[in-house]
Amino acid sequence: MDEKEDILNLRTQLHRYNYDYYVMNSPSVSDMEFDKMMSRLQELEDRHPEMYDPDSPTQRVGSDLNDEFRTVPHRHPMLSLANTYNLTEIRDFYQRVSDGLHGQPFQICAELKYDGLSISLHYRNGRLEQAVTRGDGIHGDDVTANVRTIRSIPLVLETGTAEIPEEFEIRGEILLPWQNFERLNAEREQSGEALFANPRNAASGTLKSKDPKVVSRRGLDAYLYYLLGDTIPSEGHFENMETARSWGFRVSRDMKLCNSLEEVWEYIRYWDTHRRELPVATDGIVLKVNSIAQQKALGMTAKSPRWAIAYKFQAEQAETTLREVTFQVGRTGVVTPVANMDSLQLSGTMVHRATLHNADVMDALDLHVGDRVLVEKGGEIIPKIVGKNTDGTHGEAQGAPIRFIHRCPVCGTPLVREAEEASHYCPNDLHCAPQIIGRMEHFVSRKAMNISLIGPEMIQQYYNNGWLHDVSDFYRIRHDAKVAESVARSTDVPFERVLFALGIRFVGEIAAKTLARKFKNIDALMSATAEQLLDTDSIGKVIAESVVNFFASDENRALIEKLRLAGLQFALSDEQLAAHSDVLKGQSIVISGVFSHHSRDEYKRMIEQHGGKNVGSISAKTAFILAGNNMGPSKLEKAEKLGIRLVTEDDFLTMIQQ
Ligand code: IVH
């Protein structure tokens, strides 16, 4: 059969399987089968670049298009909904609708209020054209490149139960499912990065990421709940959403058409508890008048439609007795006050500890031992104390007032609080046990030295036994065969990751990479002044000072020497050195066509190593196109029109060798 035809068939099938898997939750082929078809498609597409299609299932892994978001106007403003917190206001809403419709019968569509980020998707001729965030409601950010990586958002629509309008907009919510949220936070904890407080923040951070590959990996999901356009299929909102589902969108199956206020109550009562079984976060119920004609008749106020309302669930609160406040020291020395309370049941789990965040939050609550405190578990994972019951009816005498501490609870060193920072921290980083242990855990973690056979329990035990004093001891003490092998393997870990593994405050993965590239070896970095550090791209004052402080310590310098003797990499390898230059500095380069010497990914890496940037689409700013064979006709035309130079594979390789 014709390969081009194969490409088209594979695309149709893979779109279908994606839909079954991500929207229907019922995979129709095995993962292996799916992967096989995907790589077959990739292979054929590589052979036929003229068949390039941005909507192909192979493009889901994330292209590397724009790195700045464009702000665009919304075609229809994105209004929010009036919020209510009690059932009386729901009754009032129902009555207002009835009055506004002069007693006509009406139906209410009740649905869940998803707690994520609203998104507006534009489709033209059955293809996703643009995705825009809510922004200020009038303008939003164009996040199309990121949204394209979300598997449950169709790039190409299916033939459904009604004709697809030539052009329409559909709105919904982007969410990070609980499971993916927990996995992400576990990974972040491992690498010492700040945790996201709730899935909404995580989804927001993810959607605004500059790298669609990151977005693709994190596993966002989307539920759609509102169809707009001049020619939408039906007169009822509920029916429209069913049709949208048949086109391939994920539309909640938990929507319900209600014919009376009683049915609305029933829906709210049911979901107030059962929402906890859903895979994504919800924070309420949305009620919408179902008929579009009636919606139009009711109209809008300045801020929100008169035909819809949101009812927010109460974050679950309960009262218990405060027994004690303890103070925890983290890997970076930050001290967090933690309330220890009599156990209570909250949102389905037993709770007996709650965070008090920092000294300001704690002082504002004015806590005493024996206080009756109100504990809340809202969108956040960790419960918090939101107030006290001061009506005095509980009769328990007020105990001693609780104050923030002045010395580290573990090592006794006076705590420090930097101006403008919320947290106190223990400055005794070298000798304070939780900080030492935290650094050791960081050192062996996957993105650092990746010594996977040494885990937190082993570190704690070895530390207690007095076998571990600093991370160089991992290379000195005797391990059993398997562990010894994984420790030995870590001596091949490249310089930039060794630098990250040292756990210098504020030096994350990216900063470590940048510093390694600029200074090339540890000696140059150790003797760098703050000014020299500041002269590095994207290294600011906070990081520069932290690096200088770290290497000013004799103990840290001694540690470096011990690690050097153990054979760790403290310089870029010859290969890394040879492969770097500035010849492409500041140039945006498009890769197109099929190559014979290296793969596309390899060329992409070379461009970056020589200071250039690989971009996905041709514009006036493109420096040149690295052109292989069979470049697509539309790209050729665009290049010609803008007068952009084509550089062959061989010329490119010569160019970077200089
Ligand atoms: S309808 C004009 N339906 O809640 C009606 N919104 O303040 C447009 N939301 O910004 C919104 N679930 O981000 C609608 N089932 C649902 C929703 C929902 C969550 C969000 C949305 C909106 C906010 C309302």
Side-chain angles (χ1 to χ4, degrees):
M1 216 209 287
D2 182 356
E3 291 193 335
K4 294 187 182 174
E5 211 167 294
D6 278 357
I7 292 185
L8 297 177
N9 286 337
L10 280 167
R11 283 178 184 163
T12 315
Q13 282 181 47
L14 286 163
H15 274 308
R16 178 84 227 169
Y17 296 155
N18 259 327
Y19 171 78
D20 292 342
Y21 186 91
Y22 289 105
V23 180
M24 304 304 286
N25 278 325
S26 77
S28 38
V29 289
S30 70
D31 288 359
M32 199 172 83
E33 186 68 14
F34 183 90
D35 291 343
K36 252 179 26 210
M37 288 171 70
M38 197 69 141
S39 39
R40 170 84 184 134
L41 176 58
Q42 184 70 63
E43 192 186 306
L44 289 174
E45 288 183 344
D46 284 347
R47 254 207 308 275
H48 294 279
E50 76 281 6
M51 297 281 289
Y52 171 78
D53 180 349
D55 298 330
S56 168
T58 55
Q59 302 298 309
R60 293 273 197 192
V61 282
S63 81
D64 37 12
L65 281 173
N66 56 311
D67 55 1
E68 255 352 50
F69 298 104
R70 216 159 37 102
T71 303
V72 294
H74 287 296
R75 282 169 229 187
H76 311 271
M78 281 182 88
L79 302 181
S80 59
L81 299 176
N83 278 327
T84 70
Y85 294 87
N86 62 61
L87 299 176
T88 324
E89 286 176 286
I90 298 285
R91 184 187 298 275
D92 295 345
F93 164 75
Y94 204 83
Q95 191 59 48
R96 272 200 311 279
V97 168
S98 176
D99 293 348
L101 296 173
H102 310 292
Q104 275 174 28
F106 61 93
Q107 285 185 306
I108 294 283
C109 179
E111 40 196 86
L112 287 158
K113 185 172 186 308
Y114 291 100
D115 190 13
L117 301 150
S118 27
I119 192 80
S120 150
L121 307 174
H122 293 268
Y123 284 78
R124 188 192 294 276
N125 299 323
R127 283 168 182 256
L128 174 64
E129 186 179 61
Q130 195 177 45
V132 187
T133 62
R134 189 180 124 84
D136 60 6
I138 305 297
H139 299 91
D141 280 339
D142 181 333
V143 288
T144 315
N146 283 344
V147 163
R148 280 178 164 283
T149 68
I150 302 176
R151 304 295 203 285
S152 54
I153 291 184
L155 300 178
V156 179
L157 300 182
E158 307 258 323
T159 325
T161 53
E163 203 184 324
I164 301 169
E166 194 176 299
E167 200 184 324
F168 69 91
E169 178 180 346
I170 190 163
R171 290 185 187 167
E173 206 82 355
I174 293 196
L175 302 142
L176 189 65
W178 287 111
Q179 212 180 357
N180 298 353
F181 166 72
E182 275 150 27
R183 189 192 58 205
L184 172 64
N185 260 355
E187 282 172 14
R188 289 174 75 87
E189 186 156 33
Q190 267 275 313
S191 56
E193 289 167 279
L195 301 190
F196 287 115
N198 52 49
R200 184 178 3 90
N201 293 0
S204 158
T206 304
L207 197 63
K208 290 297 175 70
S209 160
K210 298 244 169 87
D211 184 356
K213 294 219 173 60
V214 171
V215 185
S216 175
R217 223 175 19 238
R218 293 219 180 139
L220 292 174
D221 201 345
Y223 284 71
L224 285 309
Y225 47 62
Y226 187 35
L227 190 63
L228 301 82
D230 297 331
T231 50
I232 51 175
S234 151
E235 222 304 288
H237 164 71
F238 187 87
E239 294 80 352
N240 280 328
M241 296 320 297
E242 302 250 279
T243 306
R245 185 184 299 125
S246 78
W247 293 335
F249 292 105
R250 187 199 288 293
V251 171
S252 165
R253 292 192 181 270
D254 301 322
M255 299 169 45
K256 187 179 170 231
L257 273 180
C258 301
N259 291 297
S260 66
L261 194 51
E262 281 63 44
E263 285 180 32
V264 172
W265 293 151
E266 200 189 315
Y267 185 86
I268 294 180
R269 245 196 328 272
Y270 180 83
W271 284 110
D272 200 357
T273 50
H274 286 86
R275 69 195 184 99
R276 294 190 232 297
E277 295 149 21
L278 296 169
V280 294
T282 53
D283 62 343
I285 299 287
V286 177
L287 303 175
K288 299 173 185 168
V289 172
N290 191 52
S291 149
I292 312 279
Q294 290 180 336
Q295 289 182 2
K296 289 206 175 107
L298 290 162
M300 313 259 182
T301 70
K303 280 192 291 186
S304 53
R306 287 203 187 84
W307 47 266
I309 198 160
Y311 167 79
K312 297 262 247 182
F313 295 124
Q314 296 280 342
E316 209 182 332
Q317 280 189 358
E319 205 182 294
T320 186
T321 303
L322 176 68
R323 293 296 168 202
E324 185 193 14
V325 170
T326 51
F327 295 84
Q328 265 176 7
V329 186
R331 149 163 98 84
T332 53
V334 168
V335 178
T336 308
V338 177
N340 296 259
M341 311 162 298
D342 287 351
S343 306
L344 76 163
Q345 183 85 15
L346 204 56
S347 305
T349 48
M350 283 305 271
V351 171
H352 62 102
R353 285 151 64 85
T355 176
L356 294 166
H357 299 285
N358 56 48
D360 292 342
V361 171
M362 199 187 99
D363 290 347
L365 286 164
D366 181 30
L367 298 171
H368 299 73
V369 173
D371 276 348
R372 295 289 292 172
V373 287
L374 281 176
V375 187
E376 182 178 299
K377 203 166 161 194
E380 276 74 27
I381 303 306
I382 307 168
K384 58 183 178 194
I385 292 189
V386 291
K388 293 194 293 186
N389 183 350
T390 47
D391 65 13
T393 52
H394 50 88
E396 200 155 347
Q398 265 202 353
I402 296 172
R403 299 267 175 260
F404 205 83
I405 46 175
H406 298 291
R407 288 177 175 276
C408 175
V410 181
C411 70
T413 306
L415 299 180
V416 199
R417 181 184 194 170
E418 304 286 2
E420 287 167 47
E421 271 197 39
S423 307
H424 286 75
Y425 74 93
C426 166
N428 183 21
D429 52 341
L430 292 174
H431 303 107
C432 178
Q435 299 190 59
I436 298 172
I437 291 175
R439 269 198 307 277
M440 289 176 177
E441 289 175 358
H442 168 71
F443 186 83
V444 300
S445 69
R446 195 168 50 85
K447 291 187 174 166
M449 305 305 281
N450 193 23
I451 309 178
S452 56
L453 292 177
I454 298 186
E457 296 79 26
M458 196 192 273
I459 292 177
Q460 183 73 55
Q461 198 189 342
Y462 283 19
Y463 180 83
N464 292 348
N465 293 354
W467 300 341
L468 285 175
H469 302 93
D470 64 48
V471 294
S472 73
D473 291 329
F474 287 128
Y475 298 91
R476 192 182 49 78
I477 59 182
R478 288 174 59 105
H479 301 279
D480 67 32
K482 272 200 181 143
V483 179
E485 192 193 309
S486 83
V487 170
R489 223 178 310 126
S490 77
T491 57
D492 292 334
V493 164
F495 177 41
E496 58 198 42
R497 273 171 53 199
V498 175
L499 197 52
F500 171 60
L502 291 176
I504 304 171
R505 243 182 145 206
F506 305 118
V507 177
E509 255 182 294
I510 311 241
K513 202 178 254 183
T514 313
L515 291 170
R517 299 255 161 98
K518 160 102 187 238
F519 291 92
K520 303 192 170 54
N521 62 61
I522 197 82
D523 298 298
L525 184 63
M526 280 203 282
S527 55
T529 61
E531 289 70 39
Q532 286 168 327
L533 288 160
L534 275 169
D535 193 32
T536 314
D537 269 351
S538 75
I539 298 294
K541 199 164 145 257
V542 179
I543 297 181
E545 276 172 11
S546 171
V547 171
V548 170
N549 284 341
F550 184 88
F551 291 119
S553 138
D554 288 341
E555 283 184 71
N556 283 334
R557 286 172 167 264
L559 174 67
I560 301 289
E561 290 321 312
K562 285 188 274 182
L563 291 173
R564 205 199 294 259
L565 283 174
L568 270 59
Q569 304 298 319
F570 277 116
L572 293 182
S573 64
D574 291 344
E575 198 183 313
Q576 279 177 312
L577 275 173
H580 285 88
S581 80
D582 277 346
V583 290
L584 303 175
K585 191 167 179 174
Q587 306 196 29
S588 297
I589 298 155
V590 172
I591 305 180
S592 185
V594 190
F595 299 94
S596 31
H597 301 312
H598 300 275
S599 73
R600 247 166 200 266
D601 276 347
E602 280 165 342
Y603 278 119
K604 189 175 166 212
R605 206 175 49 236
M606 288 181 219
I607 289 177
E608 282 166 3
Q609 285 175 341
H610 293 276
K613 196 166 82 179
N614 172 225
V615 295
S617 57
I618 304 174
S619 74
K621 280 185 264 169
T622 307
F624 63 85
I625 298 167
L626 169 53
N629 290 324
N630 291 331
M631 205 178 129
S634 63
K635 276 206 171 148
L636 264 177
E637 198 183 310
K638 196 159 182 197
E640 208 162 299
K641 209 170 97 199
L642 294 170
I644 290 166
R645 185 160 62 106
L646 303 187
V647 172
T648 65
E649 220 178 336
D650 291 319
D651 288 348
F652 177 78
L653 291 171
T654 320
M655 189 189 263
I656 60 172
Q657 253 142 44
Q658 285 161 2

